Amino acid sequence: MYVQVSYKKQFVFGIIFLIIILSAVELLVRAYEVSFPYCDYIGKDALDDIDLEVQKQECFDLDHFAYTSVEGVLIPKPNQHFANMNINSHGFRGPEITQEKPSDMTRIFILGGSTTFGTVTSDSTTIPAFLQEKIDSTMIDHRIQVINAGVMGFDSAAETRLLKNYVEKFDPDIVMVYDGINNASVNQILAPEDDEYSSPMWKILTYIYEYYRTPTHIYKNFMPGLELGVSIDEKLSDEQAQLWRDDWKGVCSQNRDYKIIIFIQPSLSNKTHLSEDESLILKLDPRNKQINYTLEKIQDISSELNGICNGVFDLRSSFENVTEAIFYDHAHVNELGNKIIAEKMYNKLLPYLNTNDSK
């Protein structure tokens, strides 16, 4: 006997069936991500001293990293704890801090993108952590706190917003900036405005990214990435360099109670002695030529910040004579690279710590 099912019940059954299918796909995606995390750097020779399973775990953790918006500024979601990465209650990587600065403490923030935040590295082997270690071992009579305020993907536009809208609340004495490479891509020109981070759509997308992995997996594995072409776009480089200058000029020229020291970071193109993987990355990654050209433009225009910011230093030659493998992509370096950068920052920082001049 044939029983006709109403359209309403058919619709309900269809929805239930769709939810079952989507849930099954989501479970498969999550299982796949655990077994085969998607990161180009896994197995690169610059990471030979890090166990392959640790590399995979770092990749998985970074891919499941969550963000939140605080007063229109995107920061890591507070109180996140992974195998080798911890975000404190204020959204900064590393140990817990108080918002109110102790009266006898010198507080240093380091702003930057993922190269500052640290990838494929523990909390103790990022650039800010190595700088803290160096200071602690050489300046035992001073209470100096180095705070990692790096946020993955940030360029000067995002960094200056973070500084003015959030970091200043923590009463910094010195703000160090390590950037340039993210400005040498198109993301600054296309970056969301402050209020977009607080929009309902942005919050929905953030929620989906954190809790529903299927769209993210499809995007990362099957959608073509936005890349610069092989040929150099001189006009784009000029625009990017000028935006970088204008961002920092705008902040440095304002009345403030802290020093600002800017460091222009190196890229793979600045390294002379290349490992096998570094040579292959330099050859195959179309971003390298454009990034290197833009960093040169940034260095050329950085002289306009002299006398406005407290210091501007070029670190692009930091790895010129290093023979070991350092880079595992066009911008990111291993723990040895982080330590070298921290040493060079320390040497430039010393005069600002040892003088009693006005801020």
Side-chain angles (χ1 to χ4, degrees):
M1 180 178 178
Y2 177 73
V3 178
Q4 186 175 2
V5 181
S6 68
Y7 288 118
K8 184 177 181 179
K9 288 184 177 180
Q10 290 181 43
F11 177 78
V12 171
F13 288 146
I15 292 296
I16 293 173
F17 180 74
L18 180 62
I19 291 174
I20 292 173
I21 294 296
L22 292 177
S23 299
V25 171
E26 177 70 8
L27 289 174
L28 289 173
V29 165
R30 287 177 179 261
Y32 183 87
E33 285 186 325
V34 172
S35 302
F36 306 100
Y38 180 79
C39 288
D40 291 338
Y41 57 70
I42 292 178
K44 291 292 191 294
D45 55 16
L47 303 175
D48 281 347
D49 59 342
I50 299 178
D51 185 81
L52 189 62
E53 292 305 313
V54 174
Q55 295 180 38
K56 291 181 179 180
Q57 183 64 51
E58 291 292 319
C59 175
F60 180 83
D61 291 346
L62 288 171
D63 196 35
H64 289 72
F65 192 72
Y67 295 87
T68 190
S69 176
V70 176
E71 297 187 20
V73 180
L74 195 68
I75 65 168
K77 188 177 181 179
N79 298 315
Q80 296 185 79
H81 304 285
F82 300 90
N84 294 305
M85 176 176 60
N86 295 280
I87 307 300
N88 65 29
S89 62
H90 298 289
F92 302 118
R93 182 172 186 178
E96 193 58 58
I97 65 170
T98 59
Q99 181 167 341
E100 183 178 356
K101 182 183 66 179
S103 59
D104 61 341
M105 176 178 286
T106 298
R107 181 168 272 180
I108 301 172
F109 278 83
I110 304 185
L111 300 176
S114 54
T115 50
T116 299
F117 178 87
T119 55
V120 203
T121 182
S122 66
D123 291 343
S124 62
T125 55
T126 63
I127 293 172
F130 277 129
L131 180 60
Q132 180 76 74
E133 181 182 286
K134 180 70 174 180
I135 290 173
D136 289 344
S137 66
T138 57
M139 306 186 71
I140 58 177
D141 295 330
H142 297 73
R143 284 194 69 192
I144 299 174
Q145 182 184 55
V146 180
I147 300 170
N148 186 343
V151 182
M152 289 184 284
F154 266 27
D155 56 18
S156 60
E159 290 155 5
T160 51
R161 290 200 299 266
L162 178 65
L163 174 57
K164 297 299 295 181
N165 293 4
Y166 193 58
V167 169
E168 285 187 352
K169 299 178 186 296
F170 294 82
D171 193 16
D173 295 288
I174 298 174
V175 172
M176 302 171 68
V177 181
Y178 184 62
D179 68 4
I181 287 182
N182 284 344
N183 282 81
S185 65
V186 297
N187 59 347
Q188 185 187 38
I189 298 173
L190 301 178
E193 297 297 331
D194 295 7
D195 57 354
E196 289 189 39
Y197 288 130
S198 301
S199 68
M201 180 55 68
W202 183 266
K203 291 180 180 179
I204 291 172
L205 291 174
T206 301
Y207 186 86
I208 290 174
Y209 181 84
E210 184 174 358
Y211 297 106
Y212 186 46
R213 300 298 304 169
T214 301
T216 302
H217 178 79
I218 293 173
Y219 176 80
K220 290 186 64 175
N221 289 276
F222 301 105
M223 298 295 288
L226 181 62
E227 295 183 343
L228 298 170
V230 176
S231 60
I232 292 176
D233 187 334
E234 295 185 13
K235 181 180 178 182
L236 178 61
S237 288
D238 287 336
E239 292 175 352
Q240 291 163 335
Q242 290 165 15
L243 286 169
W244 177 86
R245 174 205 59 197
D246 293 344
D247 287 335
W248 290 116
K249 186 176 182 179
V251 174
C252 289
S253 61
Q254 295 178 5
N255 292 328
R256 50 190 166 82
D257 296 325
Y258 54 88
K259 300 181 177 77
I260 297 179
I261 309 171
I262 299 175
F263 297 90
I264 302 171
Q265 65 189 124
S267 73
L268 176 57
S269 298
N270 302 126
K271 190 169 184 280
T272 304
H273 305 285
L274 301 177
S275 69
E276 182 177 350
D277 281 342
E278 287 174 331
S279 297
L280 194 60
I281 295 167
L282 191 62
K283 179 180 179 180
L284 297 180
D285 194 330
R287 294 172 291 184
N288 287 303
K289 185 182 294 186
Q290 179 77 30
I291 287 172
N292 190 48
Y293 185 80
T294 303
L295 288 175
E296 290 179 3
K297 291 289 186 178
I298 286 176
Q299 168 57 24
D300 291 342
I301 208 170
S302 67
S303 61
E304 298 181 24
L305 298 178
N306 292 331
I308 303 174
C309 301
N310 296 91
V312 182
F313 301 101
D314 183 7
L315 296 186
R316 290 179 301 150
S317 63
S318 298
F319 306 126
E320 273 187 347
N321 299 317
V322 178
T323 57
E324 296 94 336
I326 292 287
F327 286 88
Y328 51 87
D329 62 19
H330 68 287
H332 298 91
V333 300
N334 59 15
E335 294 178 3
L336 173 60
N338 286 343
K339 191 169 188 177
I340 291 171
I341 293 296
E343 290 274 353
K344 292 184 179 296
M345 284 184 169
Y346 173 80
N347 293 332
K348 298 299 183 182
L349 175 65
L350 278 177
Y352 299 92
L353 294 174
N354 294 334
T355 58
N356 295 317
D357 59 338
S358 61
K359 298 175 185 176

